[in-house]
Amino acid sequence: MNYEPIISKILGKHTKREGEVANLVLSYVAKNPHWDEEKAAPFNEIVLGKIEKALKDVLGVEFSDVMGRNRHRDLTDARMMMYLLLREYGLSYPRIGKIMGKNHTTILWGVRTAQSLLYYNAPFRENYQAFKNSCQI
């Protein structure tokens, strides 16, 4: 493997310590061949099943509706709760976007909106706590 682009990317314009840092980078990459892969919590069908059940039991919405494009308030709230839960679970915005079939910026917006609603909207906060507790992830 050619490590030169990796070293250049890490070092940028800092060339004074290039040899020293390059050796450190090379030794780290050699010991950790999967260093650049996402270090997120594992996401699997069990987690998805728990979320799907909680959506139905607690919020009264179908998983397929939440995954769709419908913009009814109950579905958008459930969608934002799901974004926030997955983010708290440790997934990145792009990874949540892949799971949900959305752009990562949509997820970012949804998480920020959900955090705001948690602070200002008591019914949303109560529903989210019940949803989160029901998922048990």
Side-chain angles (χ1 to χ4, degrees):
M1 178 174 188
N2 184 6
Y3 296 109
E4 226 172 275
I6 297 169
I7 295 168
S8 298
K9 183 178 177 182
I10 293 170
L11 292 178
K13 296 178 183 179
H14 307 286
T15 56
K16 288 183 180 178
R17 297 179 57 201
E18 188 172 305
E20 181 184 334
V21 175
N23 288 333
L24 289 171
V25 170
L26 286 173
S27 66
Y28 179 80
V29 170
K31 292 177 189 172
N32 304 293
H34 303 290
W35 66 274
D36 60 340
E37 293 178 3
E38 187 174 4
K39 302 287 189 259
F43 184 79
N44 56 37
E45 294 298 319
I46 296 169
V47 174
L48 194 57
K50 288 180 179 182
I51 292 172
E52 187 174 348
K53 185 175 181 336
L55 286 170
K56 177 91 170 148
D57 295 346
V58 177
L59 303 176
V61 295
E62 293 292 331
F63 182 73
S64 59
D65 293 336
V66 172
M67 296 296 286
R69 297 176 52 99
N70 194 317
R71 296 188 337 181
H72 287 268
R73 182 61 190 245
D74 59 336
L75 295 175
T76 57
D77 281 356
R79 207 172 284 137
M80 287 187 289
M81 288 180 197
M82 193 167 164
Y83 298 162
L84 184 59
L85 181 71
L86 292 174
R87 184 67 182 153
E88 289 176 356
Y89 184 66
L91 301 182
S92 67
Y93 294 113
R95 185 143 181 226
I96 297 168
K98 285 180 186 174
I99 292 165
M100 299 292 294
K102 308 279 186 202
N103 187 293
H104 74 281
T105 56
T106 302
I107 307 304
L108 177 63
W109 175 86
V111 168
R112 288 181 180 172
T113 303
Q115 289 169 335
S116 177
L117 287 170
L118 284 174
Y119 185 76
Y120 291 108
N121 188 326
F124 184 90
R125 183 173 44 251
E126 291 165 6
N127 286 339
Y128 179 70
Q129 285 303 323
F131 172 65
K132 185 176 178 179
N133 293 339
S134 179
C135 287
Q136 299 174 352
I137 56 173

